[in-house]
Amino acid sequence: MFYRETGQFKTSYAADMAIFPIRQDRVALWLLLGFAFIGVPVLDALQIWPFGGEYLLRAILIPFLILALAAVGLNILTGYCGQLSLGSGAFMAIGAYSAYKFATGVDIDVIAIPPLPVLPSILLGGLMAALVGILFGVPSLRIKGLYLAVATLAAQFFVDWAFLRIKWLTNDSASGSVSVSNLQVFGAPIETPAQKYLFCLSVVTLFALMAKNLVRGAIGREWMAMRDMDVAASVIGIRPVYAKLTAFAVSSFIVGVAGGLWGFVHLGSWEPAAFSIDRSFQLLFMVIIGGLGSIMGSFFGAAFIVVLPIALNQFLPALLGAIGITISTAGISHAELMIFGGLIVWFLIVEPHGLAKLWSTGKQKLRLWPFPH
């Protein structure tokens, strides 16, 4: 029996749950999901958004969901398994271009695959990214830290070269640019911003729940043991080969699916520059700011990275103009980079666990509210 001290009395955990059977933080999460699935489409249909529904969905919500999914994949590898990676953009590109090949049909000497629907194509693109991730994860069995980061960085440059030079991967496109259209899932078209938003939200929710269950299970405990002390983990019977390669596979699969969504749903037409090294650093910033080793932190980091540039573009000129200073568009871009760098340093020094730690503290207070202890 577990007891919780409440003043001069002792209350059992079962008694607490009998009195307060519903956790307020879970209620807040379910309300948030309900608003995301029902409230946002209703508000979009009524056209009562403050900035216009199409702009909000296309420029904010859809990129936020896709980048949050990619950050979840990177967080599994870096935050939970402790394997530093700088090649996430490469695995997004592999997922996007592989999904494009499956959607347009694969015809080689040994096998011929007819064009597949959107959803199977994106999932198979994630599977191809997982296979490549395992290949580039093999060096993690011998090296770690900065050396491993450089090895994953090699994947970024190799993928950029491959999609520019190997014409078969892009159906003989001279510049590596491809495009998709007439997207359908189970016979339903995905054309309007609301339809694209609901499709991305459904995929991201399923993968986030899958990732949450994985990190809570046996394989997640193996990843965290390898992260904390790999030598001790191998002593107690955890296989480093299995733990590290599964982390690379799961991470690359999720990032590859995010790349497929980024190309098919958000961009529609893309080239290798859409998945450059800047994208890899952007995902790493999301994980650092949101919180290493936290699924929810990936969403916080993605929201911060997506919303901050828009907020700076809207409010920084007005704020500086109030004190008699004018700033150009280039100045806003430079200010964005400086603020990003300063925030990363601040989070690493002051709050290494990122925004997820602040969220966790708030949840603890919410569970005890309105009681002081």
Side-chain angles (χ1 to χ4, degrees), residues 101-115:
K101 285 297 295 183
F102 285 113
T104 56
V106 178
D107 188 9
I108 54 180
D109 294 336
V110 295
I111 189 172
I113 301 176

Side-chain angles (χ1 to χ4, degrees), residues 109-270:
D109 294 336
V110 295
I111 189 172
I113 301 176
L116 298 177
V118 174
L119 189 58
S121 298
I122 293 177
L123 294 177
L124 287 173
L127 181 60
M128 295 301 298
L131 295 176
V132 178
I134 293 175
L135 177 63
F136 280 94
V138 171
S140 68
L141 306 177
R142 294 288 183 182
I143 58 177
K144 57 184 178 180
L146 180 62
Y147 300 99
L148 178 61
V150 173
T152 57
L153 188 61
Q156 182 72 54
F157 295 110
F158 174 77
V159 167
D160 289 344
W161 172 86
F163 290 123
L164 282 174
R165 303 300 179 185
I166 303 177
K167 303 303 181 184
W168 179 85
L169 297 175
T170 58
N171 290 346
D172 297 326
S173 173
S175 62
S177 61
V178 296
S179 61
V180 293
S181 59
N182 300 323
L183 303 181
Q184 291 185 351
V185 175
F186 301 117
I190 307 177
E191 297 176 354
T192 65
Q195 292 169 342
K196 294 180 178 181
Y197 164 76
L198 286 175
F199 175 62
C200 290
L201 179 62
S202 302
V203 174
V204 171
T205 302
L206 290 175
F207 273 89
L209 291 174
M210 180 194 74
K212 192 69 173 178
N213 290 328
L214 278 176
V215 299
R216 285 178 173 178
I219 184 62
R221 291 193 293 270
E222 291 184 3
W223 293 340
M224 288 182 279
M226 294 300 301
R227 173 197 65 190
D228 296 336
M229 188 173 292
D230 52 355
V231 176
S234 61
V235 168
I236 64 175
I238 295 176
R239 295 170 292 172
V241 174
Y242 175 77
K244 291 183 179 182
L245 292 186
T246 52
F248 268 95
V250 173
S251 172
S252 301
F253 176 73
I254 296 176
V255 173
V257 170
L261 291 175
W262 188 262
F264 276 62
V265 179
H266 179 55
L267 297 178
S269 177
W270 70 92

Side-chain angles (χ1 to χ4, degrees), residues 349-363:
I349 296 175
V350 179
E351 188 52 79
H353 297 288
L355 296 173
K357 179 62 176 179
L358 303 178
W359 169 256
S360 178
T361 303
K363 283 200 306 180

Side-chain angles (χ1 to χ4, degrees), residues 21-83:
I22 301 176
R23 284 173 45 178
Q24 294 94 329
D25 58 324
R26 290 188 178 179
V27 172
L29 180 60
W30 283 111
L31 289 175
L32 181 61
L33 285 176
F35 177 75
F37 275 101
I38 301 174
V40 171
V42 170
L43 293 176
D44 178 68
L46 297 176
Q47 292 295 318
I48 58 177
W49 292 110
F51 302 108
E54 184 171 344
Y55 172 79
L56 186 66
L57 293 175
R58 287 182 181 274
I60 299 178
L61 293 182
I62 292 177
F64 155 69
L65 289 172
I66 300 174
L67 292 176
L69 180 61
V72 167
L74 179 59
N75 215 337
I76 286 179
L77 181 64
T78 302
Y80 284 96
C81 195
Q83 307 300 304

Side-chain angles (χ1 to χ4, degrees), residues 317 326-333:
T326 58
I327 185 171
S328 63
T329 303
I332 296 175
S333 178

